[in-house]
Amino acid sequence: MSHHLVVLGAGYAGLVAAKRAARRLRDSDVTITLINAGDRFVERIRLHQLAAGQHLHDLPLLDLLSGTRVGLITARVCAVDAAARTVRLDGAPHSVGYDTLVVALGSRPHHGTVPGAAEHAHTLAGAGEAERLHRHVSRLAPGSTVAVVGGGLTGLETASELAETYPALRMTLFTASGTGDGLSPHAQRHLQRALDRLKVTVHSGTHITEVHPGALLSDDGTPHAADAVVWATGFRAPSLAREAGFATDEQGRMTVDRTLCSVSHPEVYGVGDAAAGHTGSAGITRMSCQTAMPMGRQVADVIAARLTGREPEPARVRYVFTNISLGRHDGIVQFTRADDSPRAAALTGRTAAAFKEAVVRSTVLAIRRC
Ligand SMILES: Cc1cc2nc3c(=O)[nH]c(=O)nc-3n(C[C@H](O)[C@H](O)[C@H](O)COP(=O)(O)OP(=O)(O)OC[C@H]3O[C@@H](n4cnc5c(N)ncnc54)[C@H](O)[C@@H]3O)c2cc1C
């Protein structure tokens, strides 16, 4: 019987890993199965656009996998039994055995311990959540307030996109630190001008401590009106890897060595948001699409090398730039050093928006071609 390689999650990392492994290995050597909760590829980096009511391309996984010999199972992974090397699913075939497992289950929004956040706030966890946010926001009366909590890239992109699409709404952004931390001074000035132009009111250095229907409370006791709340304070890996007994860090990301192999289970690999990979000089990998896709490619190469008796090259992720869209016609491309710190150079305005759109399109093209 041939070796069974099972990949969990068909996002940026998992889809690339499964397709590339299929190209690198012969049919007689390995059977490849990709398991995903839905039957569509979700362009997660466009979810703020979906939340603003824009139409996204329909990308059936079967279409993206056509011509490959990757078998697709559409089901939710409920658990991994590491001792039995079996994955349990919520639908047929209910359980799948593996010889090698790649965990690429992405990440989930992190509500922390803020009362009311999980109950009353929207997130951009997936396409369903983004569409729900859009339904809510599109029905609000003019003058209503939308509060985005979290001033990282997801919060900035969401606040800008909604502000551009719904100028009659009041847009507020709450950030625990500053705005655009990690950008060069030139890019920060541009960000400030863009948020002013879009009439996004920014509350920097403000911790939100409670979420209620129609209002937020900050740590100084001030109530803030909020007819819709978007929670964008960060992401955590799903608990599945930890529950399976795989070594994980405090964010629930799998702890992997330089070949993306679990430090606790040598037959298991972790990629994308679900794993804390290593970079040359920037510490562990940042949760991002620009990290997930190289990790997917590299894990396929590592597994192909090991299954054919070769020594794998260590995986390496290098940062080049960070992209931020500020609506459809404005943006920032912050060029970065290999350690992810900002260089002085940054593109802004329409050029940056066009650059980002080209990068986003290129991800789907790369997935089709890999
Ligand atoms: C609004 C927004 C904008 C972003 N913009 C950028 C950007 O401009 N640049 C950038 O680099 N990054 C960006 N990111 C981050 C980026 O989207 C993620 O880092 C990237 O998607 C991680 O890829 P992944 O393959 O690890 O996970 P994902 O793309 O999330 O894929 C995980 C897959 O696993 C599946 N899955 C999860 N749990 C289960 C289960 N139990 N059973 C079966 N299947 C399951 C999911 O359905 C999904 O298909 C953005 C994120 C958001 C939310």
Side-chain angles (χ1 to χ4, degrees):
M1 232 174 83
S2 80
H3 191 95
H4 195 192
L5 168 61
V6 173
V7 180
L8 307 183
Y12 295 93
L15 200 43
V16 167
K19 288 188 75 173
R20 190 167 170 105
R23 274 211 296 129
R24 297 263 144 166
L25 289 157
R26 289 195 307 246
D27 290 22
S28 50
D29 293 333
V30 67
T31 303
I32 303 173
T33 303
L34 179 61
I35 302 176
N36 197 60
D39 63 355
R40 269 29 196 183
F41 174 69
V42 174
E43 279 190 277
R44 204 170 154 196
I45 60 179
R46 288 197 193 269
L47 286 183
H48 53 297
Q49 296 177 236
L50 194 59
Q54 291 163 38
H55 173 75
L56 302 190
H57 288 294
D58 182 31
L59 297 166
L61 287 171
L62 280 177
D63 178 26
L64 295 171
L65 291 170
S66 84
T68 73
R69 55 194 182 78
V70 176
L72 177 67
I73 295 176
T74 305
R76 179 159 285 281
V77 181
C78 306
V80 177
D81 182 338
R85 297 196 181 180
T86 300
V87 176
R88 274 193 267 122
L89 308 177
D90 71 350
H94 298 289
S95 87
V96 174
Y98 63 84
D99 298 298
T100 297
L101 183 71
V102 177
V103 179
L105 294 171
S107 55
R108 306 280 313 156
H110 180 58
H111 290 106
T113 53
V114 176
E119 294 82 358
H120 306 304
H122 291 273
T123 68
L124 291 175
E129 287 87 346
E131 283 165 348
R132 204 169 307 133
L133 171 60
H134 173 243
R135 280 196 296 278
H136 186 168
V137 169
S138 62
R139 288 178 192 151
L140 291 174
S144 304
T145 303
V146 179
V148 176
V149 183
L153 303 191
T154 304
L156 287 170
E157 292 195 323
T158 305
S160 305
E161 203 77 44
L162 292 176
E164 183 178 89
T165 308
Y166 298 103
L169 299 177
R170 288 181 219 272
M171 195 63 55
T172 54
L173 179 69
F174 294 88
T175 94
S177 51
T179 324
D181 297 341
L183 295 177
S184 63
H186 161 59
Q188 278 200 7
R189 282 193 296 277
H190 184 82
L191 175 63
Q192 202 47 63
R193 279 197 300 273
L195 293 173
D196 290 348
R197 173 178 57 76
L198 291 164
K199 298 193 171 52
V200 177
T201 305
V202 180
H203 299 267
S204 295
T206 306
H207 286 266
I208 296 301
T209 52
E210 288 175 35
V211 182
H212 298 274
L216 298 171
L217 202 67
S218 54
D219 51 354
D220 59 0
T222 310
H224 304 270
D227 300 293
V229 178
V230 186
W231 201 257
T233 58
F235 292 87
R236 290 285 184 278
S239 54
L240 203 128
R242 184 177 45 77
E243 288 161 5
F246 304 149
T248 53
D249 66 11
E250 64 287 350
Q251 286 189 308
R253 301 176 86 191
M254 283 176 59
T255 309
V256 293
D257 67 14
R258 292 195 179 271
T259 64
L260 301 169
C261 182
S262 163
V263 296
S264 59
H265 291 72
E267 69 286 3
V268 181
Y269 293 79
V271 286
D273 287 3
H278 299 268
T279 65
S281 51
I284 61 161
T285 47
R286 173 156 57 81
M287 287 187 183
S288 70
C289 169
Q290 63 170 305
T291 318
M293 291 183 70
M295 286 170 96
R297 276 195 293 276
Q298 290 167 1
V299 84
D301 293 349
V302 166
I303 292 169
R306 291 212 164 114
L307 292 185
T308 52
R310 288 175 292 119
E311 191 58 36
E313 294 283 321
R316 222 173 262 124
V317 171
R318 209 172 167 276
Y319 294 102
V320 182
F321 54 76
T322 297
N323 266 327
I324 311 174
S325 62
L326 301 166
R328 288 303 82 207
H329 312 290
D330 196 355
I332 295 171
V333 179
Q334 174 64 66
F335 294 100
T336 53
R337 299 186 187 86
D339 67 359
D340 209 20
S341 63
R343 293 181 185 276
L347 299 178
T348 55
R350 282 185 182 271
T351 314
F355 185 101
K356 167 138 195 187
E357 177 57 27
V359 169
V360 172
R361 280 186 196 189
S362 75
T363 61
V364 177
L365 269 180
I367 287 169
R368 282 193 191 284
R369 287 180 185 158
C370 76

